[in-house]
């Protein structure tokens, strides 16, 4: 009787082991299939029982017929979804069984090395590399964000100095006079414009010559005159003479790092029916009335020198007037939808108009014989305002939640883009500090530099700051207790003292 060699016996034992392992896998899978089949039969039986219970005669059920029909449809959909999942599960199990058989026979799958040690080492190595890369990237970006946040909170200080209360409706616009005495002007939906003492918060004069909402106010560059635009389809020029009261000591209402504020809740405090100051003198007659628009006049501004004024209207046109004669000089047409704002350059005969058609246009009147216009399409929603800086820049804000800085010498693309979390209203740029103040629909006011770097956010809570949409901001370059003013639909204007060191601005 021949004797098997050691190698032959070992090979036969390995083959029997693989065969028994394969049989055990098949037996396990077969048992699992039987168990799943039993579960399916039970579920089908339960589902059919439910369907039968729903299909009982109407007199045996207290459910309305329409509700019963809806339930039947829902159960049918559930059954179909479960059946699809069940079939998909069976197919996946068959694929797993095939792979187990091939692994038991020592085969390879798609040319890959299926040795457990190699697979585990390779997977562990790649996972470790990916984890380390993610940790490094996350730590670097987080450290950068946290360091910039700490730098801002430790340096930028914003102090609420004074509140100017007296309007009976929301305040759309405000500006600061450019001549002595320096006063604050506000334009309100209550059909009036008011002049305020910056240092005392006292109303000095109330202009009540408009028959509609007063949408903007701008002061003459050299004389004591104001230009207001209204929903009554006119713009008024009126002279004022005011005497400033004796300044009172400034009360420290609120002083806190600009970023260390607590967001207010959605609950608005009750707005009392604030009446206008009883001792505030009124003016009802305009020196000059600018007519010719066929819609709401939403904004107006003086051209350099103050001999001409420009108005923007919902009739999709901007008009250029001679101030002395009130005659229409030019009608600037081309926008496809209503205009939202207009602004003039402080030293050149340039005008920029904004519109709901997502564009803003630059009008050049420096050459009397040629009036060129350039159209800029950098936004995807209403352009709420576009303003000039002292240099060669234009800053535009939009309802698309972005603010863009443009170079007048090359306006093909913005040199900086600021992305925010809320629509941006009428922005302003500080002449001396070159800081952009962004008033938002969400009651926030944020400050950025011309490079798009965020510098600060004004304090805002239920007791500090605005309680409604912030409509406009305006800087004051004179030596006053307030250097930034904001107004909103909570019927008040607020004077702030902003202290942002030069070191932080350079960052």
């Amino acid at each position: 009787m021949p004797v098997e060699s050691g190698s032959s016996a070992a090979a036969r034992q390995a083959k029997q082991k693989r065969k028994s392992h394969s049989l055990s896998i098949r037996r396990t899978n077969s048992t699992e299939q039987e168990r799943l089949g039993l579960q399916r039969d039970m579920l089908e039986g339960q589902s059919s029982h439910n369907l039968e219970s729903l299909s009982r005669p109407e007199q045996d059920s207290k459910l309305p017929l329409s509700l019963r029909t809806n339930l039947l449809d829902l159960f049918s959909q559930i059954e179909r979804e479960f059946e699809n999942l069940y079939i998909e599960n069976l197919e996946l199990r068959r694929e797993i069984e095939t792979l187990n058989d091939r692994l038991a026979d020592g085969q390879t799958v798609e040319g890959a090395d299926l040795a457990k040690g190699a697979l585990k080492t390779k997977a562990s190595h790649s996972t470790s590399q990916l984890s380390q890369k993610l940790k490094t990237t996350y730590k670097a970006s987080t450290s950068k964000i946290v360091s910039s946040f700490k730098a801002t909170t430790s340096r930028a200080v914003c102090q609420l100095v004074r509140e100017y209360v007296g309007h009976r409706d929301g305040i759309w616009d405000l500006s600061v006079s450019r001549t002595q005495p320096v006063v604050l002007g506000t334009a309100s939906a209550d059909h009036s414009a008011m002049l305020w003492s910056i240092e005392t918060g006292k109303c000095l004069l109330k202009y009540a010559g408009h028959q509609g909402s007063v949408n903007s106010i701008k002061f003459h560059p050299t004389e004591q005159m104001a230009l207001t635009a209204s929903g009554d389809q006119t713009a008024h020029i009126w002279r004022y003479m005011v005497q400033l009261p004796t300044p009172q000591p400034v009360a420290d209402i609120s002083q806190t790092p600009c970023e260390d504020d607590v967001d207010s809740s959605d609950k608005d405090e009750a707005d009392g029916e604030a009446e206008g100051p009883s001792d505030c003198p009124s003016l009802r007659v305009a020196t000059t009335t600018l007519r010719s628009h066929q819609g709401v006049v939403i904004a107006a501004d003086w051209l350099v020198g103050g001999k001409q004024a420009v108005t923007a209207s919902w009739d999709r046109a901007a008009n250029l007037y001679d101030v002395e004669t009130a005659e229409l000089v030019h009608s600037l047409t081309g926008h496809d939808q209503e205009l939202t704002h207009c602004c003039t350059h402080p030293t050149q005969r340039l005008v920029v108009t904004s519109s709901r058609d997502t564009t803003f246009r630059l009008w050049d009147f420096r050459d009397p014989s040629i009036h060129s216009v350039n159209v800029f399409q950098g936004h995807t929603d209403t352009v709420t305002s576009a303003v000039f800086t002292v240099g060669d820049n234009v800053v535009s804000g939009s309802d698309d939640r972005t603010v863009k800085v443009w170079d007048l010498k090359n306006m093909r693309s913005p040199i900086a883009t600021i992305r925010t979390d809320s629509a941006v209203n009428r922005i302003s740029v500080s002449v001396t500090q070159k800081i952009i103040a962004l008033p938002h629909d969400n009651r926030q006011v944020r400050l950025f530099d011309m490079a798009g770097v965020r510098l600060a956010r004004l304090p805002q809570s239920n007791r500090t700051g605005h309680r409604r949409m912030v409509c406009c901001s305006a800087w004051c370059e004179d030596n006053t207790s307030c250097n930034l003013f904001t107004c909103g639909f909570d019927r008040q204007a607020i004077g702030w003292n902003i202290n942002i060191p030069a070191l932080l601005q350079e960052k």
Side-chain angles (χ1 to χ4, degrees), residues 329-367:
V329 179
H330 293 290
S331 184
L332 313 179
T333 59
H335 281 292
D336 295 330
Q337 294 188 38
E338 296 91 337
L339 272 63
T340 58
H341 191 251
C342 66
C343 181
T344 59
H345 194 280
T347 60
Q348 303 182 61
R349 290 178 56 82
L350 297 172
V351 176
V352 62
T353 56
S354 311
S355 173
R356 292 184 59 189
D357 62 9
T358 73
T359 71
F360 65 95
R361 295 182 177 231
L362 177 64
W363 310 82
D364 191 346
F365 297 100
R366 289 176 292 187
D367 188 344

Side-chain angles (χ1 to χ4, degrees), residues 59-231:
Q59 58 271 19
D60 295 340
S61 174
K62 297 181 180 180
L63 295 175
L65 180 60
S66 58
L67 181 58
R68 287 166 54 82
T69 305
N70 289 336
L71 286 175
L72 285 171
D73 292 340
L74 291 174
F75 274 112
S76 299
Q77 293 177 19
I78 293 172
E79 184 179 9
R80 286 195 296 270
E81 290 292 332
F82 183 81
E83 186 176 1
N84 292 334
L85 290 174
Y86 180 81
I87 294 173
E88 184 178 357
N89 189 22
L90 290 179
E91 292 176 353
L92 289 174
R93 288 187 175 278
R94 278 196 291 269
E95 291 179 8
I96 292 173
E97 183 180 355
T98 303
L99 290 174
N100 285 334
D101 290 341
R102 295 175 65 179
L103 286 172
D105 293 336
Q107 299 181 14
T108 61
V109 180
E110 296 180 357
D113 184 8
L114 297 180
K116 290 184 179 179
L119 279 176
K120 187 174 181 180
T121 303
K122 187 175 180 180
S124 176
H125 182 64
S126 61
T127 304
S128 176
Q129 283 184 335
L130 180 59
S131 175
Q132 186 64 31
K133 186 176 181 180
L134 288 173
K135 286 181 180 179
T136 304
T137 305
Y138 177 78
K139 185 179 292 185
S141 60
T142 305
S143 300
K144 185 176 180 181
I145 293 172
V146 171
S147 62
S148 63
F149 177 82
K150 288 182 178 179
T152 306
T153 56
S154 62
R155 299 180 185 273
V157 177
C158 308
Q159 179 183 5
L160 190 155
V161 178
R162 190 162 286 106
E163 296 176 346
Y164 305 86
V165 180
H167 281 291
R168 293 175 296 173
D169 208 336
I171 304 176
W172 291 118
D173 195 28
L174 80 173
S175 85
V176 180
S177 65
R178 302 183 237 180
T179 59
Q180 295 295 333
V182 179
V183 296
L184 173 68
T186 55
S188 171
D190 64 5
H191 299 191
S192 73
M194 288 185 178
L195 304 185
W196 307 82
S197 166
I198 293 177
E199 302 300 335
T200 66
K202 180 181 178 181
C203 177
L204 305 175
L205 179 67
K206 176 179 179 180
Y207 179 72
H210 283 290
Q211 302 301 314
S213 170
V214 184
N215 301 318
S216 79
I217 181 169
K218 287 291 184 295
F219 290 97
H220 193 277
T222 58
E223 300 182 37
Q224 292 187 18
M225 290 196 300
L227 170 64
T228 50
S230 173

Side-chain angles (χ1 to χ4, degrees), residues 184-399:
L184 173 68
T186 55
S188 171
D190 64 5
H191 299 191
S192 73
M194 288 185 178
L195 304 185
W196 307 82
S197 166
I198 293 177
E199 302 300 335
T200 66
K202 180 181 178 181
C203 177
L204 305 175
L205 179 67
K206 176 179 179 180
Y207 179 72
H210 283 290
Q211 302 301 314
S213 170
V214 184
N215 301 318
S216 79
I217 181 169
K218 287 291 184 295
F219 290 97
H220 193 277
T222 58
E223 300 182 37
Q224 292 187 18
M225 290 196 300
L227 170 64
T228 50
S230 173
D232 60 12
Q233 303 185 6
T234 67
H236 289 183
I237 298 173
W238 41 278
R239 290 185 177 273
Y240 63 90
M241 292 184 63
V242 294
Q243 184 175 0
L244 297 180
T246 304
Q248 301 293 326
V250 177
D252 188 4
I253 300 176
S254 173
Q255 184 171 355
T256 179
C258 296
E259 298 285 348
D260 291 348
D261 58 299
V262 180
D263 290 337
S264 65
S265 63
D266 292 335
K267 180 181 179 181
D268 291 320
E269 295 181 1
D271 292 325
E273 293 294 330
E275 296 293 335
S278 57
D279 58 344
C280 182
S282 295
L283 175 66
R284 296 182 179 275
V285 180
T287 305
T288 305
T289 300
L290 307 179
R291 309 177 189 273
S292 70
H293 280 296
Q294 304 301 315
V296 169
V297 183
I298 196 66
D301 202 356
W302 304 88
L303 262 71
V304 58
K307 294 183 178 180
Q308 291 181 323
V310 62
T311 57
S313 172
W314 284 3
D315 62 8
R316 306 183 183 183
N319 289 341
L320 185 65
Y321 295 92
D322 182 273
V323 171
E324 185 176 355
T325 63
E327 292 182 356
L328 178 64
V329 179
H330 293 290
S331 184
L332 313 179
T333 59
H335 281 292
D336 295 330
Q337 294 188 38
E338 296 91 337
L339 272 63
T340 58
H341 191 251
C342 66
C343 181
T344 59
H345 194 280
T347 60
Q348 303 182 61
R349 290 178 56 82
L350 297 172
V351 176
V352 62
T353 56
S354 311
S355 173
R356 292 184 59 189
D357 62 9
T358 73
T359 71
F360 65 95
R361 295 182 177 231
L362 177 64
W363 310 82
D364 191 346
F365 297 100
R366 289 176 292 187
D367 188 344
S369 60
I370 303 175
H371 303 142
S372 62
V373 57
N374 294 308
V375 183
F376 302 98
Q377 301 177 341
H379 292 282
T380 59
D381 206 338
T382 297
V383 182
T384 53
S385 63
V387 299
F388 290 100
T389 66
V390 173
D392 294 327
N393 297 116
V394 173
V395 184
S396 60
S398 171
D399 279 344

Side-chain angles (χ1 to χ4, degrees), residues 495-507:
W496 305 85
N497 184 271
I498 310 299
N499 182 14
I500 300 181
L503 180 62
L504 180 59
Q505 296 182 45
E506 290 175 1
K507 289 184 180 181

